[in-house]
Amino acid sequence: MSTPLVKAASSGFHDASAYDAHRPSYTDAAVNAFLGHLNALDAATDGKQIPQKIVEIGAGTGKFTKVLSRKAMQAAAKGSGQSIEILAVEPHEQMRAQLSAKNLPHVTVVDGHGANLSMVDDNSADAVIVAQAFHWFANYEALKEIHRVLKPGSFVGVIWNIEDYNKPAAWPAKADWEQGLNDIIYSLALDGSPRFRDGQWQRAFDAVAVPDAIANRPALYSPLADDRVYWTVQLTPEALWNRLLTLSQIANLPETGPNDEQEAVAGSTAQPTSRATVRRRFDAVLARDDVKRNDKGEVTIHALTFFAWAQKLAV
């Protein structure tokens, strides 16, 4: 049995096809740097053994799994003769179905969760990867379970694509209008769900990088290291709106609400209670004079890929 999903994730990601269609993939620069820190796949050269088993937790519809599959095929084509297995673990039924339907080479899709990897043997994984998901299960139980399945000295890595509209509040936006979109995101009601921007995921790693004498827990990992790769993407306003609709805080709102007229007043900072209100505020930001468009009417979205890694310690 896998650990039950957080309610916001279960309902917010019910339209798995929309998530698959509108969420961004990962740049080659970010992927190569990330896998290099994990000593994974084609990063393992110069006589080093290519890792044979990678466990990806929270694989979703396979945005990062597709990248791993492609890298595995490239590594296998080098003639190493090794069998490379990617175990894609995903608890959300609709997302798991989307991923399974892709029939990705070297990939086995299973039901599971960060705190329950019972299908993986002790000390068997060459790397554990969590893409765009660790904030949903950033706790001691998951990190202990990941520690169990990792081979001695191997790495766990976490990675996120973060657009400026969904960045942590302390990070500066590259454009004022993108900060306007970020302000809309922060005006939404808190639903108690963890997110990358709240930093709780990092505190979970910090807690297991040192011994806990009170709880009689040893340190499980080396201190977390991190890096980032910056990138941009051009999107039409409608494509950008579709991307925002994959955020659970917006996806879980009703289409319309009883306070839509009050919330539609120009300059209103009232908490949006419907997707219609969020859309009106979105349209107002996109109508600003400082929004630059190309010949196709697309706007430039600034973003970065943030990734971090830690090494398993002996206990």
Side-chain angles (χ1 to χ4, degrees), residues 246-268:
T246 67
L247 301 177
S248 59
Q249 266 181 295
I250 298 177
N252 286 329
L253 288 173
E255 181 58 39
T256 59
N259 300 319
D260 281 355
E261 290 188 11
Q262 294 172 277
E263 296 170 8
V265 175
S268 172

Side-chain angles (χ1 to χ4, degrees), residues 3 7 16 41 78 124 130 138 155 216 231 260 288:
T3 303
K7 182 179 179 180
L41 294 173
K78 292 179 179 179
S124 65
V130 189
F155 291 85
N216 193 28
W231 48 276
D260 281 355
R288 287 169 44 165

Side-chain angles (χ1 to χ4, degrees), residues 37-55:
H37 288 297
L38 304 182
N39 293 329
L41 294 173
D42 63 352
T45 57
D46 299 328
K48 296 179 181 178
Q49 188 181 38
I50 297 174
Q52 295 183 342
K53 186 169 188 176
I54 294 175
V55 177

